[in-house]
Amino acid sequence: MCSVSTFPYLLFYALFTVLITAQCTNPTIRREWRTLDRDGRAAWISAVKCLAASPHNPDLVATVNSSISQIPAMNTSASFWDDISYIHMDLNIHQTGMFLPFHRWFVHSVEQAMVEKYGFSGGFPYWNWTIDAPDFYKSSWWQDSDTESGLGGWGDPDKDYEVQDGAFAGFAVANPSYHPMRYQYTAQPFAAFATSSPTIAQLFNSTMLETYANSTFHADQIAAIIAGNPQIFFFQCAHGSVHAITGGDLAGTCPATTEDCIPGNKWWPNSPLVFLHHATKDILMIDKIWSDWQNLNETSATAFAGGSVQAFDNTTYFAKYPTGAPPMLNTSSDIYTDNMFPGVTIGDVLNHTARYLCYVYE
């Protein structure tokens, strides 16, 4: 049963300083979604729906001026789940040094909200999409139509790609306007991305425009990234391909009924899949991949670099700062939270087996 009791923020803040310095002695275990039994999958889905049934958090405050973020005004009639999406819309930290630490913090914060509001205790699952890469469209990932434990399949093209089965059929979200959850298989999405924005277009060559998205995230390619390319930019390429091939809300495409909509990555967290995607070892898979790379050696464990500003002005600028331009970030830099969750620094999330994160991957 979903509880929508008020999060005990004052108590949490009082304990936060103690918890953040505590050593991790009983870590939660993150398991691949398909290794969970039906009850485990249903429990996580119920926790998501609990957050979607919880009211808007009045403490939520935008950090970025709307003239810069170019997102719709905050909807105070929306749900707690929509608030979570709004944080991502507002801060938009992609192609900056904040990408990996922010998403690690973000998934953890959502997990803690599930614990506090719903009593979720299963450990946050993740999606290993390298399993699905060989035939993404027909993968088993899209075959579970169970109304309590299934993630459902592809959207119906005759109904604006709205999901028709599984536990998230009809799952309504508020950003950029109210609509049911949507997924649209898009095998070669990059040409459309380039067409939508001259800024993005300059980052693609003709070969990349015709690339099949699933060709970029096979298991051997991810292993090569972990072993030989410790740069956030390469993590983000594989990460973005999963979003793009799935389409709909996971790719930030605009619902047919939304006017003056600019597609992009801002409202990706509309889809619960974004948290399974980000919870993987690599960052959730991306967090999991980052975790695997950090475990290579002592130097990797604490390595961090990147800027705070997206370098999309031109290809020369982007080539120089693919993980963000100055001002540069460091481990003491704050992770912004829009006042919705307690804040931490980048250094606080570098080690997920210590301090307040306290989780491991199976």
mmCIF file of all heavy atoms in Angstrom, residues 28-52:
data_model
loop_
_atom_site.group_PDB
_atom_site.id
_atom_site.type_symbol
_atom_site.label_atom_id
_atom_site.label_comp_id
_atom_site.label_asym_id
_atom_site.label_seq_id
_atom_site.Cartn_x
_atom_site.Cartn_y
_atom_site.Cartn_z
ATOM 1 N N THR A 28 23.307 -1.783 0.490
ATOM 2 C CA THR A 28 22.238 -2.379 -0.295
ATOM 3 C C THR A 28 22.842 -2.931 -1.579
ATOM 4 O O THR A 28 23.911 -2.508 -2.012
ATOM 5 C CB THR A 28 21.142 -1.352 -0.637
ATOM 6 O OG1 THR A 28 21.732 -0.275 -1.382
ATOM 7 C CG2 THR A 28 20.490 -0.802 0.614
ATOM 8 N N ILE A 29 22.142 -3.882 -2.178
ATOM 9 C CA ILE A 29 22.659 -4.546 -3.378
ATOM 10 C C ILE A 29 21.797 -4.172 -4.577
ATOM 11 O O ILE A 29 20.573 -4.355 -4.559
ATOM 12 C CB ILE A 29 22.670 -6.074 -3.198
ATOM 13 C CG1 ILE A 29 23.545 -6.460 -2.007
ATOM 14 C CG2 ILE A 29 23.187 -6.755 -4.470
ATOM 15 C CD1 ILE A 29 23.505 -7.944 -1.674
ATOM 16 N N ARG A 30 22.427 -3.659 -5.622
ATOM 17 C CA ARG A 30 21.730 -3.330 -6.860
ATOM 18 C C ARG A 30 21.858 -4.514 -7.824
ATOM 19 O O ARG A 30 22.962 -4.919 -8.175
ATOM 20 C CB ARG A 30 22.301 -2.055 -7.474
ATOM 21 C CG ARG A 30 21.942 -0.822 -6.646
ATOM 22 C CD ARG A 30 22.413 0.458 -7.282
ATOM 23 N NE ARG A 30 21.852 1.609 -6.570
ATOM 24 C CZ ARG A 30 22.132 2.867 -6.844
ATOM 25 N NH1 ARG A 30 22.972 3.157 -7.829
ATOM 26 N NH2 ARG A 30 21.578 3.847 -6.159
ATOM 27 N N ARG A 31 20.717 -5.031 -8.246
ATOM 28 C CA ARG A 31 20.680 -6.204 -9.107
ATOM 29 C C ARG A 31 20.041 -5.858 -10.450
ATOM 30 O O ARG A 31 19.189 -4.988 -10.532
ATOM 31 C CB ARG A 31 19.890 -7.336 -8.441
ATOM 32 C CG ARG A 31 20.501 -7.844 -7.133
ATOM 33 C CD ARG A 31 19.649 -8.950 -6.529
ATOM 34 N NE ARG A 31 20.306 -9.601 -5.400
ATOM 35 C CZ ARG A 31 20.213 -9.184 -4.142
ATOM 36 N NH1 ARG A 31 19.458 -8.125 -3.859
ATOM 37 N NH2 ARG A 31 20.848 -9.815 -3.170
ATOM 38 N N GLU A 32 20.434 -6.567 -11.479
ATOM 39 C CA GLU A 32 19.835 -6.375 -12.798
ATOM 40 C C GLU A 32 18.354 -6.746 -12.740
ATOM 41 O O GLU A 32 17.969 -7.724 -12.107
ATOM 42 C CB GLU A 32 20.555 -7.235 -13.839
ATOM 43 C CG GLU A 32 20.583 -6.615 -15.219
ATOM 44 C CD GLU A 32 19.307 -6.848 -16.036
ATOM 45 O OE1 GLU A 32 18.610 -7.851 -15.775
ATOM 46 O OE2 GLU A 32 19.015 -6.039 -16.943
ATOM 47 N N TRP A 33 17.525 -5.929 -13.390
ATOM 48 C CA TRP A 33 16.067 -6.052 -13.304
ATOM 49 C C TRP A 33 15.590 -7.483 -13.535
ATOM 50 O O TRP A 33 14.729 -7.989 -12.809
ATOM 51 C CB TRP A 33 15.426 -5.106 -14.317
ATOM 52 C CG TRP A 33 13.943 -5.191 -14.392
ATOM 53 C CD1 TRP A 33 13.184 -5.885 -15.297
ATOM 54 C CD2 TRP A 33 13.008 -4.555 -13.514
ATOM 55 N NE1 TRP A 33 11.847 -5.716 -15.040
ATOM 56 C CE2 TRP A 33 11.709 -4.900 -13.953
ATOM 57 C CE3 TRP A 33 13.140 -3.715 -12.409
ATOM 58 C CZ2 TRP A 33 10.552 -4.447 -13.319
ATOM 59 C CZ3 TRP A 33 11.987 -3.260 -11.775
ATOM 60 C CH2 TRP A 33 10.715 -3.626 -12.222
ATOM 61 N N ARG A 34 16.145 -8.152 -14.508
ATOM 62 C CA ARG A 34 15.654 -9.473 -14.876
ATOM 63 C C ARG A 34 16.029 -10.565 -13.896
ATOM 64 O O ARG A 34 15.541 -11.702 -13.997
ATOM 65 C CB ARG A 34 16.129 -9.817 -16.295
ATOM 66 C CG ARG A 34 15.317 -9.116 -17.362
ATOM 67 C CD ARG A 34 16.017 -9.045 -18.694
ATOM 68 N NE ARG A 34 17.070 -8.035 -18.708
ATOM 69 C CZ ARG A 34 17.508 -7.417 -19.799
ATOM 70 N NH1 ARG A 34 16.975 -7.720 -20.976
ATOM 71 N NH2 ARG A 34 18.458 -6.513 -19.736
ATOM 72 N N THR A 35 16.892 -10.249 -12.925
ATOM 73 C CA THR A 35 17.225 -11.233 -11.897
ATOM 74 C C THR A 35 16.268 -11.150 -10.711
ATOM 75 O O THR A 35 16.297 -12.025 -9.838
ATOM 76 C CB THR A 35 18.665 -11.044 -11.383
ATOM 77 O OG1 THR A 35 18.759 -9.833 -10.630
ATOM 78 C CG2 THR A 35 19.656 -11.033 -12.535
ATOM 79 N N LEU A 36 15.428 -10.121 -10.663
ATOM 80 C CA LEU A 36 14.455 -9.989 -9.577
ATOM 81 C C LEU A 36 13.278 -10.916 -9.816
ATOM 82 O O LEU A 36 12.885 -11.170 -10.963
ATOM 83 C CB LEU A 36 13.938 -8.551 -9.482
ATOM 84 C CG LEU A 36 14.955 -7.424 -9.313
ATOM 85 C CD1 LEU A 36 14.239 -6.084 -9.229
ATOM 86 C CD2 LEU A 36 15.822 -7.649 -8.088
ATOM 87 N N ASP A 37 12.675 -11.414 -8.737
ATOM 88 C CA ASP A 37 11.450 -12.184 -8.906
ATOM 89 C C ASP A 37 10.274 -11.233 -9.101
ATOM 90 O O ASP A 37 10.439 -10.007 -9.042
ATOM 91 C CB ASP A 37 11.219 -13.127 -7.720
ATOM 92 C CG ASP A 37 11.079 -12.409 -6.372
ATOM 93 O OD1 ASP A 37 10.808 -11.178 -6.356
ATOM 94 O OD2 ASP A 37 11.238 -13.071 -5.341
ATOM 95 N N ARG A 38 9.108 -11.770 -9.339
ATOM 96 C CA ARG A 38 7.938 -10.938 -9.634
ATOM 97 C C ARG A 38 7.648 -9.974 -8.485
ATOM 98 O O ARG A 38 7.338 -8.802 -8.704
ATOM 99 C CB ARG A 38 6.709 -11.808 -9.916
ATOM 100 C CG ARG A 38 5.472 -10.994 -10.291
ATOM 101 C CD ARG A 38 4.266 -11.892 -10.580
ATOM 102 N NE ARG A 38 3.128 -11.115 -11.014
ATOM 103 C CZ ARG A 38 2.265 -10.510 -10.194
ATOM 104 N NH1 ARG A 38 2.445 -10.603 -8.869
ATOM 105 N NH2 ARG A 38 1.252 -9.802 -10.675
ATOM 106 N N ASP A 39 7.753 -10.446 -7.256
ATOM 107 C CA ASP A 39 7.472 -9.582 -6.103
ATOM 108 C C ASP A 39 8.465 -8.431 -6.034
ATOM 109 O O ASP A 39 8.095 -7.296 -5.697
ATOM 110 C CB ASP A 39 7.528 -10.390 -4.802
ATOM 111 C CG ASP A 39 6.336 -11.331 -4.641
ATOM 112 O OD1 ASP A 39 5.334 -11.145 -5.371
ATOM 113 O OD2 ASP A 39 6.421 -12.237 -3.794
ATOM 114 N N GLY A 40 9.738 -8.716 -6.333
ATOM 115 C CA GLY A 40 10.746 -7.659 -6.298
ATOM 116 C C GLY A 40 10.496 -6.601 -7.349
ATOM 117 O O GLY A 40 10.635 -5.397 -7.080
ATOM 118 N N ARG A 41 10.129 -7.022 -8.555
ATOM 119 C CA ARG A 41 9.817 -6.056 -9.613
ATOM 120 C C ARG A 41 8.566 -5.253 -9.275
ATOM 121 O O ARG A 41 8.514 -4.028 -9.467
ATOM 122 C CB ARG A 41 9.651 -6.789 -10.947
ATOM 123 C CG ARG A 41 10.927 -7.463 -11.445
ATOM 124 C CD ARG A 41 10.813 -7.923 -12.888
ATOM 125 N NE ARG A 41 9.760 -8.909 -13.088
ATOM 126 C CZ ARG A 41 9.924 -10.223 -13.009
ATOM 127 N NH1 ARG A 41 11.121 -10.723 -12.709
ATOM 128 N NH2 ARG A 41 8.919 -11.044 -13.248
ATOM 129 N N ALA A 42 7.564 -5.947 -8.751
ATOM 130 C CA ALA A 42 6.316 -5.265 -8.397
ATOM 131 C C ALA A 42 6.530 -4.252 -7.277
ATOM 132 O O ALA A 42 5.902 -3.182 -7.263
ATOM 133 C CB ALA A 42 5.252 -6.288 -7.993
ATOM 134 N N ALA A 43 7.421 -4.557 -6.338
ATOM 135 C CA ALA A 43 7.679 -3.640 -5.226
ATOM 136 C C ALA A 43 8.295 -2.341 -5.727
ATOM 137 O O ALA A 43 7.931 -1.248 -5.279
ATOM 138 C CB ALA A 43 8.603 -4.309 -4.202
ATOM 139 N N TRP A 44 9.240 -2.450 -6.659
ATOM 140 C CA TRP A 44 9.861 -1.233 -7.189
ATOM 141 C C TRP A 44 8.848 -0.411 -7.973
ATOM 142 O O TRP A 44 8.780 0.820 -7.819
ATOM 143 C CB TRP A 44 11.046 -1.601 -8.084
ATOM 144 C CG TRP A 44 11.800 -0.399 -8.576
ATOM 145 C CD1 TRP A 44 12.764 0.298 -7.901
ATOM 146 C CD2 TRP A 44 11.623 0.268 -9.831
ATOM 147 N NE1 TRP A 44 13.211 1.349 -8.656
ATOM 148 C CE2 TRP A 44 12.532 1.359 -9.848
ATOM 149 C CE3 TRP A 44 10.804 0.048 -10.927
ATOM 150 C CZ2 TRP A 44 12.627 2.236 -10.933
ATOM 151 C CZ3 TRP A 44 10.899 0.917 -12.016
ATOM 152 C CH2 TRP A 44 11.799 1.990 -12.017
ATOM 153 N N ILE A 45 8.044 -1.059 -8.798
ATOM 154 C CA ILE A 45 7.028 -0.351 -9.577
ATOM 155 C C ILE A 45 6.024 0.323 -8.655
ATOM 156 O O ILE A 45 5.611 1.472 -8.884
ATOM 157 C CB ILE A 45 6.333 -1.320 -10.552
ATOM 158 C CG1 ILE A 45 7.297 -1.693 -11.682
ATOM 159 C CG2 ILE A 45 5.051 -0.708 -11.121
ATOM 160 C CD1 ILE A 45 6.793 -2.788 -12.609
ATOM 161 N N SER A 46 5.624 -0.365 -7.589
ATOM 162 C CA SER A 46 4.689 0.234 -6.629
ATOM 163 C C SER A 46 5.284 1.470 -5.965
ATOM 164 O O SER A 46 4.584 2.449 -5.708
ATOM 165 C CB SER A 46 4.303 -0.796 -5.557
ATOM 166 O OG SER A 46 3.543 -1.847 -6.106
ATOM 167 N N ALA A 47 6.599 1.417 -5.700
ATOM 168 C CA ALA A 47 7.258 2.573 -5.091
ATOM 169 C C ALA A 47 7.260 3.762 -6.036
ATOM 170 O O ALA A 47 7.062 4.907 -5.624
ATOM 171 C CB ALA A 47 8.678 2.202 -4.679
ATOM 172 N N VAL A 48 7.501 3.510 -7.337
ATOM 173 C CA VAL A 48 7.434 4.580 -8.338
ATOM 174 C C VAL A 48 6.044 5.191 -8.341
ATOM 175 O O VAL A 48 5.871 6.419 -8.320
ATOM 176 C CB VAL A 48 7.781 4.042 -9.740
ATOM 177 C CG1 VAL A 48 7.464 5.100 -10.806
ATOM 178 C CG2 VAL A 48 9.244 3.640 -9.817
ATOM 179 N N LYS A 49 5.020 4.336 -8.351
ATOM 180 C CA LYS A 49 3.648 4.831 -8.411
ATOM 181 C C LYS A 49 3.264 5.573 -7.133
ATOM 182 O O LYS A 49 2.444 6.497 -7.165
ATOM 183 C CB LYS A 49 2.691 3.666 -8.671
ATOM 184 C CG LYS A 49 2.810 3.111 -10.083
ATOM 185 C CD LYS A 49 1.755 2.047 -10.369
ATOM 186 C CE LYS A 49 1.757 1.658 -11.833
ATOM 187 N NZ LYS A 49 0.714 0.640 -12.126
ATOM 188 N N CYS A 50 3.883 5.187 -6.032
ATOM 189 C CA CYS A 50 3.659 5.920 -4.788
ATOM 190 C C CYS A 50 4.154 7.351 -4.907
ATOM 191 O O CYS A 50 3.467 8.295 -4.512
ATOM 192 C CB CYS A 50 4.377 5.219 -3.641
ATOM 193 S SG CYS A 50 4.374 6.130 -2.080
ATOM 194 N N LEU A 51 5.347 7.529 -5.478
ATOM 195 C CA LEU A 51 5.874 8.883 -5.659
ATOM 196 C C LEU A 51 5.007 9.678 -6.626
ATOM 197 O O LEU A 51 4.840 10.892 -6.475
ATOM 198 C CB LEU A 51 7.314 8.829 -6.164
ATOM 199 C CG LEU A 51 8.334 8.147 -5.237
ATOM 200 C CD1 LEU A 51 9.745 8.320 -5.792
ATOM 201 C CD2 LEU A 51 8.254 8.679 -3.822
ATOM 202 N N ALA A 52 4.441 8.981 -7.612
ATOM 203 C CA ALA A 52 3.563 9.656 -8.573
ATOM 204 C C ALA A 52 2.215 10.008 -7.957
ATOM 205 O O ALA A 52 1.504 10.882 -8.469
ATOM 206 C CB ALA A 52 3.350 8.767 -9.798
#
